[in-house]
Amino acid sequence: MVKLRLGTRGSALALARSERVAEQLRGAGHEVEVVRVATSGADSNHMPDGYSVVVFAKELREALRSAECDVVVHSIKDIPLTDEPDGLTFPAVLARGDHRDALVTLKGVPLSALPRKSRIGVTSLRRMAQLRALRPDLTFIDVGGTLEERLRRLEPGDLDGVVLSAAGLKALGLEDRVSEYLPILPAPGQGALALECRADDTDLVKALDEFDDIETRICIDAERAVLTGLGTTYVAPVGALASRRGILGLKAGVFSVDGTKRVVLEIGLPTSELHAQRTGHNVAHALLQRKAERFFSPEAIANIDLSEEHDDESIFIESAADDDRIRVLLPRQEGRLAQTMRSNDLRVDTATLQEAKLVNADNIMPWGDWVVIPSAQTMWALRERGWDIPDTKKIAAMGSTTRQVVEEAGYSVDLSPEGTASSVALVDAFPVAEGEQRVVIVCADQLSTKLEDGLRQKGYTVERCEIYTMADVEEIYPELKEKWDDGAWDAILLSQPSLADAYVNLLGHRDDVSVLAWDEPTADALKAAGVPVLDVAMSKDHFGVAALARTLKKGRS
């Protein structure tokens, strides 16, 4: 138990958040006094003329250094992106609240029902840009002040609606005022709070560390890395949202302030604190490849003509008219495979056709001597079910990436071949069974029998524990289907067998598109679906990608 003074700004929202934090700390036995710290502003503003993020953090940190308080509560959005002040540390990022943006309207109607020219109050270009894309006929007004002050502007002759953070409304007990939760990308870190204290206060650091939520910390690190990777700040019309489902999935977008253009991408990498920033920087790099910086340059923000009409912006990489590279569609998230293909002089677009979903299953892991984890999605499924791998079991992971994800979940991996996931390599790595040895393979229901057949040949008793499936997405992005039907791509590479039916059902095979398969099971699934396969990767690595690229280029010549 420690005794501490919890510093907070004096607005009603900041006090409400801090009281909730204080309740959490008191619930753990700590003695907490909430201390108001005088600050010069009232709630954050991400508009160019009133950017207030750095001010709030600086004033709270001054209170820490002067020993006016022992801990301060920051909204993640108020923390400078790159500043790491000497002598201070963040022992806890608290479990995230609601990340969404909420619309509150004068008459309680949703965005779609607002009359033309309705006046909507906003505090960021990010919100304005995305909402203008949905309702270009509305008038958006830059509003400042506290959350309550913005709400009070909802009256005839002033504002017809105002956009606020859902977490802020809920903290004040005002969620009944919400007319609609908006379908837009939030600001990086929105809805999350962090506790900061002096680094040399070791007892306090240790006490606060118990409240650190690693899931939230990783997600907000990835989201904020989008801004640093783009070389910009919260002023820019940029949204980002990360989630963890086996891999760290990050969706980010950059929007033109007039609402007519956007570049939105999704990317995935292994889940860990180490990979969080790299994931954000990777998606930022992919956004910059699509020239997204034109939407947030000082000139773009200062000189935007909201009355000018523009063509729609493609979510896919657009190149000059004289770009003669072979254009390939890769139905998976941005990542290593897409980057390797581009390094082989292919023009690659990524799109998602499937997502992981849980299926009914019984936990049979206690039965086995070995538990085999074939993919990162398996770890997502285990976490979603709340199943732990028993401490007494040996663990085998298929490939380097899967091993890393398993280890990041807190487990020790006893067996894992280096390189990309391969059933053959994993079977080869297993020793011949001595006596009765039982193996449980925790997997998707579409996993081939190659792994279990190989282990049985080595003398193991094998059972499958199918806990998830890869299911077709309910709806693909309309532009993807439109471009596919228009013949935008020369080739498509399918990376797993379950994608064969998704390809046929969601896109429909085109005879003028060369179809490539990442492995033989995928090729077999495509052939079973009546799809001719031009070539199969000879290995699931950069050599295999290079060989596929040569096949495509040879076919063109």
Side-chain angles (χ1 to χ4, degrees):
M1 190 273 287
V2 297
K3 182 177 181 180
L4 61 92
R5 293 164 299 160
L6 183 66
T8 179
R9 296 188 294 111
S11 71
L13 176 56
L15 286 169
R17 286 170 169 165
S18 298
E19 284 295 345
R20 292 194 178 190
V21 172
E23 290 175 9
Q24 287 183 261
L25 297 172
R26 291 172 185 140
H30 304 301
E31 185 177 339
V32 183
E33 176 190 359
V34 176
V35 176
R36 296 192 188 190
V37 175
T39 56
S40 58
D43 288 7
S44 60
N45 189 316
H46 296 157
M47 300 298 276
D49 292 337
Y51 192 46
S52 53
V53 173
V54 176
V55 174
F56 292 153
K58 180 180 179 182
E59 292 170 334
L60 288 172
R61 285 167 170 171
E62 287 174 353
L64 271 181
R65 290 195 174 96
S66 65
E68 184 180 343
C69 56
D70 305 302
V71 187
V72 294
V73 182
H74 292 287
S75 168
I76 292 293
K77 293 193 297 182
D78 291 342
I79 300 172
L81 289 164
T82 56
D83 182 28
E84 295 182 3
D86 293 337
L88 302 179
T89 186
F90 286 100
V93 173
L94 304 181
R96 192 176 206 163
D98 198 324
H99 66 266
R100 294 173 295 180
D101 291 286
L103 175 68
V104 180
T105 56
L106 182 61
K107 297 182 179 180
V109 299
L111 186 72
S112 61
L114 285 169
R116 289 176 58 83
K117 305 303 179 184
S118 292
R119 291 165 54 86
I120 308 300
V122 293
T123 55
S124 72
L125 297 179
R126 172 190 61 83
R127 288 170 173 162
M128 180 188 295
Q130 293 184 81
L131 292 176
R132 283 188 63 85
L134 297 172
R135 287 294 306 271
D137 58 311
L138 300 180
T139 300
F140 292 94
I141 309 297
D142 175 8
V143 295
T146 66
L147 185 147
E148 309 97 289
E149 289 170 341
R150 283 176 269 161
L151 278 174
R152 284 198 290 270
R153 291 191 58 178
L154 290 176
E155 59 182 37
D158 194 353
L159 295 180
D160 301 295
V162 64
V163 182
L164 306 162
S165 76
L169 288 165
K170 290 180 178 180
L172 291 172
L174 298 174
E175 57 263 48
D176 60 336
R177 297 288 304 274
V178 175
S179 304
E180 180 183 6
Y181 292 104
L182 295 166
I184 62 176
L185 276 176
Q190 185 161 302
L193 302 175
L195 303 183
E196 189 174 28
C197 68
R198 293 179 292 275
D200 59 3
D201 195 342
T202 54
D203 290 340
L204 182 55
V205 170
K206 182 177 179 181
L208 295 179
D209 181 68
E210 297 180 10
F211 296 90
D212 188 48
D213 185 80
I214 191 64
E215 299 279 337
T216 300
R217 183 183 286 270
I218 290 173
C219 286
I220 62 139
D221 280 354
E223 292 168 15
R224 284 164 62 87
V226 174
L227 292 176
T228 57
L230 291 172
T232 189
T233 68
Y234 278 97
V235 164
V238 176
L241 182 63
S243 62
R244 288 176 49 150
R245 296 174 69 103
I247 60 174
L248 178 63
L250 175 62
K251 184 176 184 179
V254 184
F255 310 90
S256 64
V257 176
D258 63 1
T260 63
K261 295 183 176 71
R262 69 188 182 281
V263 181
V264 180
L265 294 172
E266 292 187 70
I267 196 169
L269 277 180
T271 302
S272 73
E273 287 186 86
L274 175 66
H275 289 91
Q277 287 194 356
R278 186 167 57 151
T279 303
H281 288 158
N282 280 359
V283 79
H285 177 70
L287 289 166
L288 291 173
Q289 282 185 313
R290 292 151 173 83
K291 300 180 181 179
E293 71 276 8
R294 67 192 188 278
F295 298 151
F296 58 82
S297 67
E299 296 79 10
I301 292 175
N303 300 323
I304 188 70
D305 181 357
L306 297 181
S307 64
E308 184 179 355
E309 295 184 3
H310 300 277
D311 296 330
D312 290 338
E313 183 71 12
S314 173
I315 65 167
F316 301 108
I317 298 175
E318 300 297 339
S319 302
D322 59 355
D323 184 349
D324 61 354
R325 290 175 297 165
I326 296 172
R327 187 168 184 176
V328 183
L329 179 64
L330 179 63
R332 61 186 293 162
Q333 290 178 312
E334 277 280 348
R336 185 181 303 171
L337 181 54
Q339 293 165 7
T340 304
M341 293 171 69
R342 292 185 186 120
S343 70
N344 280 273
D345 202 29
L346 298 172
R347 182 179 171 189
V348 180
D349 291 302
T350 58
T352 301
L353 297 183
Q354 287 194 317
E355 60 184 354
K357 293 185 178 181
L358 296 177
V359 298
N360 293 329
D362 294 323
N363 186 355
I364 64 171
M365 287 188 291
W367 170 84
D369 301 297
W370 283 88
V371 174
V372 174
I373 307 297
S375 68
Q377 282 83 359
T378 296
M379 293 308 299
W380 162 79
L382 288 175
R383 186 172 64 247
E384 289 295 297
R385 288 194 180 279
W387 292 0
D388 293 320
I389 303 174
D391 294 336
T392 57
K393 308 305 175 184
K394 293 182 179 179
I395 299 175
M398 190 188 294
S400 301
T401 298
T402 304
R403 180 186 68 241
Q404 190 169 21
V405 172
V406 175
E407 290 174 344
E408 287 160 1
Y411 300 102
S412 296
V413 176
D414 299 279
L415 187 65
S416 178
E418 291 296 324
T420 56
S422 165
S423 296
V424 173
L426 185 55
V427 170
D428 289 343
F430 262 89
V432 175
E434 296 182 2
E436 176 69 13
Q437 289 281 298
R438 296 177 293 190
V439 177
V440 176
I441 302 174
V442 187
C443 59
D445 55 8
Q446 299 102 329
L447 183 71
S448 75
T449 62
K450 184 181 299 184
L451 176 59
E452 60 192 274
D453 292 343
L455 290 175
R456 289 190 180 111
Q457 290 177 10
K458 283 197 162 184
Y460 293 90
T461 302
V462 183
E463 293 290 341
R464 293 165 64 104
C465 181
E466 299 175 348
I467 63 172
Y468 74 97
T469 188
M470 294 304 296
D472 296 359
V473 297
E474 294 182 3
E475 183 179 0
I476 61 176
Y477 196 75
E479 187 186 1
L480 170 60
K481 180 60 174 172
E482 179 182 345
K483 283 185 172 291
W484 179 261
D485 290 341
D486 288 343
W489 289 279
D490 305 301
I492 184 169
L493 172 59
L494 301 175
S495 58
Q496 58 193 46
S498 62
L499 282 170
D501 286 338
Y503 165 59
V504 173
N505 296 334
L506 296 175
L507 292 177
H509 174 62
R510 293 178 57 94
D511 291 334
D512 58 345
V513 174
S514 298
V515 179
L516 306 173
W518 192 224
D519 54 25
E520 289 293 348
T522 303
D524 292 341
L526 284 164
K527 293 171 185 176
V531 177
V533 177
L534 175 65
D535 198 8
V536 182
M538 64 180 188
S539 56
K540 298 172 78 170
D541 53 24
H542 64 279
F543 297 109
V545 172
L548 292 176
R550 287 195 297 270
T551 297
L552 290 176
K553 293 171 184 176
K554 183 178 178 181
R556 169 178 281 189
S557 61

mmCIF file of all heavy atoms in Angstrom, residues 417-439:
data_model
loop_
_atom_site.group_PDB
_atom_site.id
_atom_site.type_symbol
_atom_site.label_atom_id
_atom_site.label_comp_id
_atom_site.label_asym_id
_atom_site.label_seq_id
_atom_site.Cartn_x
_atom_site.Cartn_y
_atom_site.Cartn_z
ATOM 1 N N PRO A 417 11.004 -24.722 -35.945
ATOM 2 C CA PRO A 417 11.982 -24.516 -37.011
ATOM 3 C C PRO A 417 12.038 -23.049 -37.403
ATOM 4 O O PRO A 417 11.052 -22.319 -37.297
ATOM 5 C CB PRO A 417 11.446 -25.380 -38.154
ATOM 6 C CG PRO A 417 9.977 -25.483 -37.891
ATOM 7 C CD PRO A 417 9.808 -25.454 -36.402
ATOM 8 N N GLU A 418 13.194 -22.601 -37.857
ATOM 9 C CA GLU A 418 13.362 -21.223 -38.298
ATOM 10 C C GLU A 418 12.664 -21.018 -39.641
ATOM 11 O O GLU A 418 12.424 -21.957 -40.401
ATOM 12 C CB GLU A 418 14.845 -20.887 -38.441
ATOM 13 C CG GLU A 418 15.596 -20.825 -37.123
ATOM 14 C CD GLU A 418 15.092 -19.714 -36.217
ATOM 15 O OE1 GLU A 418 14.716 -18.637 -36.741
ATOM 16 O OE2 GLU A 418 15.061 -19.917 -34.996
ATOM 17 N N GLY A 419 12.325 -19.764 -39.925
ATOM 18 C CA GLY A 419 11.750 -19.421 -41.217
ATOM 19 C C GLY A 419 10.239 -19.362 -41.197
ATOM 20 O O GLY A 419 9.604 -19.277 -40.144
ATOM 21 N N THR A 420 9.656 -19.382 -42.380
ATOM 22 C CA THR A 420 8.209 -19.269 -42.510
ATOM 23 C C THR A 420 7.526 -20.555 -42.071
ATOM 24 O O THR A 420 8.144 -21.615 -41.986
ATOM 25 C CB THR A 420 7.825 -18.971 -43.968
ATOM 26 O OG1 THR A 420 8.389 -19.992 -44.805
ATOM 27 C CG2 THR A 420 8.364 -17.625 -44.398
ATOM 28 N N ALA A 421 6.231 -20.460 -41.780
ATOM 29 C CA ALA A 421 5.473 -21.614 -41.298
ATOM 30 C C ALA A 421 5.442 -22.713 -42.344
ATOM 31 O O ALA A 421 5.092 -22.473 -43.501
ATOM 32 C CB ALA A 421 4.058 -21.190 -40.932
ATOM 33 N N SER A 422 5.789 -23.926 -41.930
ATOM 34 C CA SER A 422 5.829 -25.063 -42.844
ATOM 35 C C SER A 422 5.551 -26.336 -42.059
ATOM 36 O O SER A 422 6.268 -26.646 -41.097
ATOM 37 C CB SER A 422 7.190 -25.161 -43.533
ATOM 38 O OG SER A 422 7.352 -26.420 -44.150
ATOM 39 N N SER A 423 4.508 -27.064 -42.460
ATOM 40 C CA SER A 423 4.198 -28.341 -41.808
ATOM 41 C C SER A 423 5.355 -29.318 -41.961
ATOM 42 O O SER A 423 5.715 -30.036 -41.014
ATOM 43 C CB SER A 423 2.917 -28.938 -42.406
ATOM 44 O OG SER A 423 1.802 -28.114 -42.155
ATOM 45 N N VAL A 424 5.942 -29.374 -43.157
ATOM 46 C CA VAL A 424 7.033 -30.306 -43.418
ATOM 47 C C VAL A 424 8.211 -30.010 -42.499
ATOM 48 O O VAL A 424 8.802 -30.920 -41.891
ATOM 49 C CB VAL A 424 7.463 -30.232 -44.895
ATOM 50 C CG1 VAL A 424 8.715 -31.070 -45.131
ATOM 51 C CG2 VAL A 424 6.331 -30.690 -45.802
ATOM 52 N N ALA A 425 8.576 -28.728 -42.368
ATOM 53 C CA ALA A 425 9.713 -28.366 -41.519
ATOM 54 C C ALA A 425 9.446 -28.702 -40.057
ATOM 55 O O ALA A 425 10.356 -29.146 -39.338
ATOM 56 C CB ALA A 425 10.018 -26.878 -41.677
ATOM 57 N N LEU A 426 8.213 -28.499 -39.599
ATOM 58 C CA LEU A 426 7.900 -28.797 -38.203
ATOM 59 C C LEU A 426 7.941 -30.302 -37.953
ATOM 60 O O LEU A 426 8.453 -30.754 -36.920
ATOM 61 C CB LEU A 426 6.537 -28.229 -37.830
ATOM 62 C CG LEU A 426 6.131 -28.370 -36.362
ATOM 63 C CD1 LEU A 426 7.184 -27.758 -35.438
ATOM 64 C CD2 LEU A 426 4.775 -27.721 -36.109
ATOM 65 N N VAL A 427 7.397 -31.075 -38.860
ATOM 66 C CA VAL A 427 7.460 -32.534 -38.712
ATOM 67 C C VAL A 427 8.912 -32.989 -38.672
ATOM 68 O O VAL A 427 9.303 -33.827 -37.842
ATOM 69 C CB VAL A 427 6.697 -33.233 -39.857
ATOM 70 C CG1 VAL A 427 6.972 -34.735 -39.840
ATOM 71 C CG2 VAL A 427 5.197 -32.981 -39.733
ATOM 72 N N ASP A 428 9.745 -32.455 -39.545
ATOM 73 C CA ASP A 428 11.160 -32.827 -39.573
ATOM 74 C C ASP A 428 11.850 -32.486 -38.252
ATOM 75 O O ASP A 428 12.777 -33.194 -37.818
ATOM 76 C CB ASP A 428 11.882 -32.125 -40.720
ATOM 77 C CG ASP A 428 11.490 -32.674 -42.087
ATOM 78 O OD1 ASP A 428 10.915 -33.783 -42.131
ATOM 79 O OD2 ASP A 428 11.744 -31.984 -43.095
ATOM 80 N N ALA A 429 11.418 -31.402 -37.604
ATOM 81 C CA ALA A 429 12.057 -30.975 -36.359
ATOM 82 C C ALA A 429 11.689 -31.864 -35.178
ATOM 83 O O ALA A 429 12.438 -31.927 -34.186
ATOM 84 C CB ALA A 429 11.680 -29.527 -36.052
ATOM 85 N N PHE A 430 10.536 -32.538 -35.255
ATOM 86 C CA PHE A 430 10.126 -33.416 -34.161
ATOM 87 C C PHE A 430 11.018 -34.657 -34.124
ATOM 88 O O PHE A 430 11.270 -35.284 -35.160
ATOM 89 C CB PHE A 430 8.669 -33.862 -34.344
ATOM 90 C CG PHE A 430 7.681 -33.045 -33.548
ATOM 91 C CD1 PHE A 430 7.127 -31.900 -34.084
ATOM 92 C CD2 PHE A 430 7.309 -33.436 -32.268
ATOM 93 C CE1 PHE A 430 6.214 -31.154 -33.362
ATOM 94 C CE2 PHE A 430 6.391 -32.697 -31.534
ATOM 95 C CZ PHE A 430 5.846 -31.549 -32.085
ATOM 96 N N PRO A 431 11.478 -35.075 -32.951
ATOM 97 C CA PRO A 431 12.216 -36.345 -32.849
ATOM 98 C C PRO A 431 11.241 -37.519 -33.003
ATOM 99 O O PRO A 431 10.033 -37.360 -32.856
ATOM 100 C CB PRO A 431 12.787 -36.295 -31.431
ATOM 101 C CG PRO A 431 11.812 -35.456 -30.661
ATOM 102 C CD PRO A 431 11.331 -34.402 -31.637
ATOM 103 N N VAL A 432 11.765 -38.677 -33.309
ATOM 104 C CA VAL A 432 10.935 -39.874 -33.366
ATOM 105 C C VAL A 432 10.395 -40.147 -31.966
ATOM 106 O O VAL A 432 11.129 -40.052 -30.970
ATOM 107 C CB VAL A 432 11.738 -41.078 -33.884
ATOM 108 C CG1 VAL A 432 10.917 -42.358 -33.823
ATOM 109 C CG2 VAL A 432 12.226 -40.817 -35.302
ATOM 110 N N ALA A 433 9.097 -40.452 -31.866
ATOM 111 C CA ALA A 433 8.468 -40.653 -30.565
ATOM 112 C C ALA A 433 9.062 -41.868 -29.863
ATOM 113 O O ALA A 433 9.287 -42.910 -30.474
ATOM 114 C CB ALA A 433 6.964 -40.822 -30.737
ATOM 115 N N GLU A 434 9.311 -41.710 -28.575
ATOM 116 C CA GLU A 434 9.763 -42.818 -27.740
ATOM 117 C C GLU A 434 8.655 -43.149 -26.758
ATOM 118 O O GLU A 434 8.343 -42.369 -25.866
ATOM 119 C CB GLU A 434 11.048 -42.437 -26.998
ATOM 120 C CG GLU A 434 12.233 -42.173 -27.915
ATOM 121 C CD GLU A 434 13.484 -41.843 -27.150
ATOM 122 O OE1 GLU A 434 13.423 -41.866 -25.888
ATOM 123 O OE2 GLU A 434 14.524 -41.559 -27.773
ATOM 124 N N GLY A 435 8.035 -44.317 -26.944
ATOM 125 C CA GLY A 435 6.899 -44.670 -26.120
ATOM 126 C C GLY A 435 5.658 -43.907 -26.526
ATOM 127 O O GLY A 435 5.566 -43.348 -27.622
ATOM 128 N N GLU A 436 4.671 -43.850 -25.637
ATOM 129 C CA GLU A 436 3.409 -43.158 -25.915
ATOM 130 C C GLU A 436 3.610 -41.648 -25.787
ATOM 131 O O GLU A 436 3.896 -41.128 -24.705
ATOM 132 C CB GLU A 436 2.332 -43.615 -24.936
ATOM 133 C CG GLU A 436 0.998 -42.886 -25.076
ATOM 134 C CD GLU A 436 0.252 -43.212 -26.364
ATOM 135 O OE1 GLU A 436 0.644 -44.186 -27.045
ATOM 136 O OE2 GLU A 436 -0.723 -42.524 -26.683
ATOM 137 N N GLN A 437 3.485 -40.942 -26.898
ATOM 138 C CA GLN A 437 3.611 -39.482 -26.923
ATOM 139 C C GLN A 437 2.391 -38.910 -27.633
ATOM 140 O O GLN A 437 2.121 -39.243 -28.790
ATOM 141 C CB GLN A 437 4.887 -39.055 -27.649
ATOM 142 C CG GLN A 437 6.167 -39.346 -26.881
ATOM 143 C CD GLN A 437 6.405 -38.317 -25.794
ATOM 144 O OE1 GLN A 437 6.570 -37.127 -26.058
ATOM 145 N NE2 GLN A 437 6.391 -38.768 -24.539
ATOM 146 N N ARG A 438 1.663 -38.038 -26.943
ATOM 147 C CA ARG A 438 0.407 -37.507 -27.475
ATOM 148 C C ARG A 438 0.568 -36.035 -27.842
ATOM 149 O O ARG A 438 1.154 -35.260 -27.087
ATOM 150 C CB ARG A 438 -0.720 -37.697 -26.459
ATOM 151 C CG ARG A 438 -1.021 -39.171 -26.181
ATOM 152 C CD ARG A 438 -2.081 -39.353 -25.116
ATOM 153 N NE ARG A 438 -1.616 -38.904 -23.798
ATOM 154 C CZ ARG A 438 -2.277 -39.127 -22.653
ATOM 155 N NH1 ARG A 438 -3.432 -39.778 -22.685
ATOM 156 N NH2 ARG A 438 -1.794 -38.704 -21.504
ATOM 157 N N VAL A 439 0.023 -35.687 -28.992
ATOM 158 C CA VAL A 439 0.142 -34.324 -29.519
ATOM 159 C C VAL A 439 -1.246 -33.763 -29.780
ATOM 160 O O VAL A 439 -2.085 -34.421 -30.410
ATOM 161 C CB VAL A 439 0.956 -34.302 -30.829
ATOM 162 C CG1 VAL A 439 1.012 -32.889 -31.400
ATOM 163 C CG2 VAL A 439 2.363 -34.836 -30.603
#
